[in-house]
């Protein structure tokens, strides 16, 4: 085991002085950028070890997503393009918090032995590095690079400024032996989008749809990339606001997190946009929400959140499956398993709607790693968080079947509705990012499906009525004191808390409430919903 140059760097010192305990959390390490040099260096080491262990290319993304511009963070992308295996999270916590170089080295040596990480030179560790537009990204990337190169022979490739999903996509593509540059990414998105547009039924009432889409780029990387996509598309009219070029600050009064939580227009939008379809990306473009501006000159919006994007996707996929499976021609027939995955933050009205559609709905704890793993158990698994992070996963087995079915149909019923359904599903599997939720690919899929359905944003929003809900953050002494079960819907400790919640929600029609410690902030989150803002059951005494 050789660690060539662990010591010449001062990166170790920073976390010592900061006295901060870092935790890999829901989505990697996040903190004020000024204390992250050491963490980046150490995560560079971890990424190189992970690459040696898995004999695959690994990704390291520097971003703090929707958090403020002075924050930054790091996430590791595993060989399949998904999140770092949870099995390695405790090691990454230990590595990030090691108090001195000796402890760090011992931890690495121990872990290498325990995990049997091969140092035989048979495989060159390769890491793809990406960063968002945060100014701190450049020097943090340097620290990560140094961390990678402290492992003998490991190679770091700087992929430049990217959205988080682009980096995950590249890692996945590289490990599948596919073309994996940024232009390959754009090419795949655009060709599958065009394919879906070409398959739109003639009878779709496209004229009911406002042509124009206005996108809030959160003053981050997503807006920049959308400008590139826009130039390559003739069939969509996209205006991008908040690209960051006009001096706006990343995530400040803009972006998907702001729009979804505050339910008001982002900066640069107003009543002059009433009636127009609008969308908002978050700071690293892995979240997407839509909205329309209320016509009465206030700054209020009608939010079309992740749950509704999920519902739109579910309706479309279900429709294609029923065409394909309803009238199976030929011999090679198969019924796909379709599952929908949400978290407890999903609006109760969306869960009811999806169940009424006859879909299997499963709840997991918060965090893409849980949703993604559960969705991967189906032939087609659709997952979304209410905040707009989600995607559609297709199993390899189902994709091979679809490819074969398409070939069979092209010989027995070329151009039939059956074949079109197969082609649409294949196009969706290429358009939608199979590694992680991706605002850019999600946006193109929403746009294609709305045109396919002939739905305006208002028609889409009317799929169901959201139950009024509130989400609060509460600062507590020790958030880990709150322990939950059943996909975070029940508090196990402290004792008595769940009973108190039960007593409260019993007073309201469709009352639902839960609390959980955040995995990304030092707070406890409280969520509540009920049938109306003021719905109290009539009082037994006074009516
Ligand atoms: P935490 O802080 O664990 O609630 C938040 C979001 C998650 C996810 C992660 C990662 C909410 C309620 N929680 O996690 O959905 O997006 O950040 O960014 O929105
Ligand atoms: Zn994000």
């Amino acid at each position: 085991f050789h660690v060539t140059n662990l010591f010449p760097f001062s990166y170790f010192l920073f976390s010592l002085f900061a006295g901060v305990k870092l935790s890999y959390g829901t989505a990697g390490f996040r903190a004020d950028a000024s204390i992250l040099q050491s963490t980046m260096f150490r995560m560079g080491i971890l990424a190189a070890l992970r690459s040696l262990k898995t004999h695959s290319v690994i990704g390291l993304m520097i971003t703090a997503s929707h958090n403020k511009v002075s924050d930054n963070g790091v996430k590791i992308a595993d060989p399949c393009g998904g999140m770092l295996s949870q099995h390695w999270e405790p090691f990454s916590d230990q590595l990030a918090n090691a108090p001195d170089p000796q402890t760090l080295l011992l931890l690495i040596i121990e872990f290498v032995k325990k995990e049997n990480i091969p140092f035989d030179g048979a495989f060159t560790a390769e890491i793809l590095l990406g960063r968002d537009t945060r100014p701190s990204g450049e020097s943090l990337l340097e620290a990560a690079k140094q961390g990678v190169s402290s492992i003998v022979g490991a190679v770091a490739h700087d992929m430049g400024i990217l959205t988080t999903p682009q980096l995950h996509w590249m890692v996945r593509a590289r490990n599948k032996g596919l073309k994996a540059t940024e232009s390959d990414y754009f090419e795949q998105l655009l060709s599958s989008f065009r394919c879906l547009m070409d398959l739109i039924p003639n009878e779709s009432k496209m004229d009911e749809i406002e042509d124009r889409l206005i996108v809030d780029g959160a003053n981050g990387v997503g807006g920049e990339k959308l400008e590139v996509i826009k130039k390559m598309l003739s069939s969509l009219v996209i205006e991008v606001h908040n690209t960051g070029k006009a001096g706006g600050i990343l995530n400040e009064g803009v972006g998907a997190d702001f729009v979804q939580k505050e339910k008001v227009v982002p900066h640069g939008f107003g009543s002059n946009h009433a009636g127009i379809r609008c969308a908002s990306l978050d700071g690293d473009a892995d979240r997407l929400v839509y909205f329309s501006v209320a016509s009465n000159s206030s700054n209020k919006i009608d939010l079309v959140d992740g749950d509704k994007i999920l519902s739109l996707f579910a309706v479309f996929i279900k429709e294609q499956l029923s065409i394909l499976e309803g009238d199976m021609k030929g011999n090679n027939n198969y019924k796909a398993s379709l599952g929908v995955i949400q978290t407890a933050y999903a609006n109760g009205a969306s869960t009811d709607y999806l169940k009424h559609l006859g879909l299997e709905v499963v709840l997991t704890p918060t965090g893409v790693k849980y949703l993604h793993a559960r969705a991967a158990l189906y032939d087609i698994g659709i997952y979304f968080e209410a905040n707009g992070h989600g995607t559609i996963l297709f199993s390899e087995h189902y994709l091979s079947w679809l490819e074969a079915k398409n070939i069979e149909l092209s010989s027995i019923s070329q151009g039939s509705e059956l074949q079109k359904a197969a082609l649409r599903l294949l196009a969706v599997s290429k358009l939608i990012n199979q590694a992680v939720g991706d605002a850019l690919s999600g946006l193109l899929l929403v746009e294609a499906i709305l045109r396919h359905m002939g739905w305006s944003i208002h028609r889409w929003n009317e799929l169901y009525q959201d139950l009024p809900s509130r989400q609060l953050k509460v600062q507590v002494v020790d958030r880990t004191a709150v322990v939950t079960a059943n996909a975070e819907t029940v508090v196990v400790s402290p004792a008595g808390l769940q009973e108190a919640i039960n007593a409260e929600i019993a007073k309201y029609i469709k009352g639902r409430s839960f609390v959980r410690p955040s995995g990304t902030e030092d707070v406890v989150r409280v969520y509540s919903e009920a049938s109306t803002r003021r719905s109290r059951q009539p009082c037994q005494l006074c009516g």
Side-chain angles (χ1 to χ4, degrees):
F1 168 51
H2 310 276
V3 181
T4 51
N5 45 2
L6 265 178
F7 292 98
F9 304 104
S10 56
Y11 299 125
F12 301 116
L13 296 173
F14 288 87
S15 66
L16 284 180
F17 291 131
V20 174
K21 187 163 187 309
L22 292 160
S23 155
Y24 199 81
T26 316
F29 296 111
R30 275 186 211 176
D32 190 278
S34 61
I35 64 161
L36 282 176
Q37 292 279 344
S38 156
T39 316
M40 289 299 161
F41 178 80
R42 294 162 190 219
M43 286 308 104
I45 296 174
L46 180 130
L49 295 177
R50 185 83 188 135
S51 174
L52 287 176
K53 170 72 190 182
T54 57
H55 273 218
S56 306
V57 175
I58 293 292
L60 186 153
M61 181 70 196
I62 300 172
T63 176
S65 181
H66 57 279
N67 295 130
K68 52 184 192 284
V69 66
S70 52
D71 283 357
N72 217 326
V74 52
K75 273 191 250 196
I76 305 291
D78 243 10
C80 58
M83 302 297 169
L84 172 70
S85 159
Q86 284 172 57
H87 172 61
W88 275 45
E89 282 184 18
F91 174 58
S92 63
D93 284 350
Q94 288 174 337
L95 217 57
N97 294 301
D100 52 62
Q102 283 75 19
T103 315
L104 181 71
L105 194 54
L106 275 176
L107 276 171
I108 296 171
I109 292 169
E110 249 173 47
F111 189 72
V112 164
K113 266 198 210 130
K114 187 176 134 232
E115 283 288 313
N116 238 332
I117 297 176
F119 271 84
D120 50 15
F123 179 79
T124 305
E126 233 185 307
I127 317 299
L128 306 187
L129 304 178
R131 62 183 175 98
D132 68 16
T133 52
R134 287 177 161 79
S136 57
E138 211 169 330
S139 72
L140 291 175
L141 189 117
E142 207 42 50
K145 257 189 191 168
Q146 304 282 12
V148 170
S149 42
S150 69
I151 300 293
V152 167
V155 182
H157 301 290
D158 178 1
M159 309 306 287
I161 293 181
L162 295 174
T163 71
T164 297
Q166 280 184 313
L167 184 81
H168 284 260
W169 184 95
M170 287 173 181
V171 169
R172 181 185 163 85
R174 272 295 309 274
N175 288 320
K176 283 178 150 279
L178 303 170
K179 294 197 280 179
T181 65
E182 187 175 33
S183 48
D184 297 322
Y185 167 86
F186 288 134
E187 183 43 45
Q188 179 165 328
L189 256 58
L190 291 169
S191 59
S192 45
F193 173 75
R194 286 189 198 111
C195 178
L196 281 173
M197 293 292 281
D198 290 345
L199 289 164
I200 287 178
N202 293 334
E203 64 273 18
S204 280
K205 298 189 209 79
M206 300 258 275
D207 48 335
E208 284 182 16
I209 303 174
E210 161 80 43
D211 256 350
R212 201 153 58 121
L213 170 71
I214 309 187
V215 181
D216 156 30
N219 291 322
V221 56
E224 263 178 41
K225 303 296 179 189
L226 195 55
E227 293 278 11
V228 180
I229 291 181
K230 197 179 119 171
K231 289 197 189 103
M232 299 156 99
L233 270 180
S234 51
S235 46
L236 278 191
V237 185
I238 305 180
E239 266 174 45
V240 191
H241 291 197
N242 303 329
T243 57
K245 288 189 192 120
I249 297 171
L250 179 72
N251 298 331
E252 211 171 282
V254 294
D257 193 62
F258 172 81
V259 169
Q260 191 239 347
K261 299 260 159 58
E262 305 298 326
K263 298 193 176 69
V264 294
V265 288
H267 180 77
F269 287 70
S271 49
N272 51 328
H273 296 113
I276 301 173
R277 197 167 59 257
C278 301
S280 186
L281 319 174
D282 79 335
D284 62 341
D286 65 351
R287 288 193 196 174
L288 169 72
V289 295
Y290 272 70
F291 64 94
S292 58
V293 182
S295 41
N296 54 11
S297 73
S298 72
N299 63 353
K300 292 269 180 299
I301 56 163
D302 287 325
L303 177 70
V304 182
D305 65 1
D307 301 337
K308 230 160 228 166
I309 298 176
L310 183 155
S311 302
L312 180 74
F313 289 177
V315 168
F316 180 75
I317 297 282
K318 195 165 181 288
E319 183 189 284
Q320 302 318 308
L321 286 177
S322 40
I323 298 172
L324 194 56
E325 294 168 359
D327 178 23
M328 282 282 195
K329 293 209 170 76
N331 313 316
N332 177 17
N333 294 333
Y334 178 78
K335 194 164 164 32
S337 63
L338 172 63
V340 168
I341 327 294
Q342 301 187 299
T343 73
Y345 290 104
N347 195 281
S350 75
T351 311
D352 284 351
Y353 172 77
L354 292 161
K355 285 185 177 163
H356 270 114
L357 283 182
L359 293 168
E360 185 173 322
V361 184
V362 177
L363 285 197
T364 70
T366 304
V368 178
K369 56 193 173 195
Y370 302 112
L371 289 138
H372 192 97
R374 193 65 182 77
L377 300 179
Y378 295 90
D379 289 320
I380 305 179
I382 315 177
Y383 72 84
F384 257 89
E385 295 187 301
N387 62 30
H389 185 108
T391 193
I392 309 175
L393 299 184
F394 289 76
S395 72
E396 293 290 344
H397 167 258
Y398 188 61
L399 283 178
S400 318
W401 179 83
L402 259 183
E403 298 275 8
K405 189 73 195 169
N406 177 40
I407 293 170
E408 184 196 319
L409 287 170
S410 56
S411 65
I412 58 169
S413 54
Q414 171 82 15
S416 65
E417 283 311 306
L418 251 67
Q419 197 201 3
K420 283 183 188 163
L423 284 171
R424 284 189 196 108
L425 290 171
L426 284 168
V428 172
S429 76
K430 295 195 178 84
L431 173 54
I432 200 82
N433 196 321
Q434 296 293 289
V436 77
D438 181 338
L440 299 179
S441 74
L443 179 143
L444 291 178
L445 184 55
V446 167
E447 291 301 308
I449 297 178
L450 289 180
R451 283 163 177 79
H452 174 96
M453 298 292 194
W455 286 356
S456 66
I457 188 166
H458 304 289
R459 169 67 186 84
W460 171 22
N461 202 20
E462 279 164 5
L463 282 180
Y464 59 83
Q465 280 275 311
D466 274 324
L467 294 176
S469 69
R470 289 291 301 275
Q471 208 193 118
L472 305 175
K473 296 182 199 184
V474 184
Q475 214 100 41
V476 294
V477 175
D478 176 12
R479 74 188 200 276
T480 62
V482 178
V483 181
T484 62
N486 294 356
E488 303 172 329
T489 54
V490 178
V491 178
V492 179
S493 85
L497 181 51
Q498 188 57 45
E499 287 69 22
I501 295 172
N502 291 345
E504 213 44 50
I505 56 179
K507 297 177 190 164
Y508 300 91
I509 299 163
K510 288 195 181 245
R512 186 170 72 91
S513 179
F514 65 96
V515 300
R516 59 173 277 278
S518 159
T520 59
E521 291 174 69
D522 192 14
V523 294
V524 167
R525 294 194 199 281
V526 181
Y527 178 91
S528 302
E529 67 181 28
S531 64
T532 67
R533 287 199 173 272
R534 295 197 164 270
S535 112
R536 237 177 201 284
Q537 282 172 345
C539 170
Q540 298 288 332
L541 299 171
C542 62

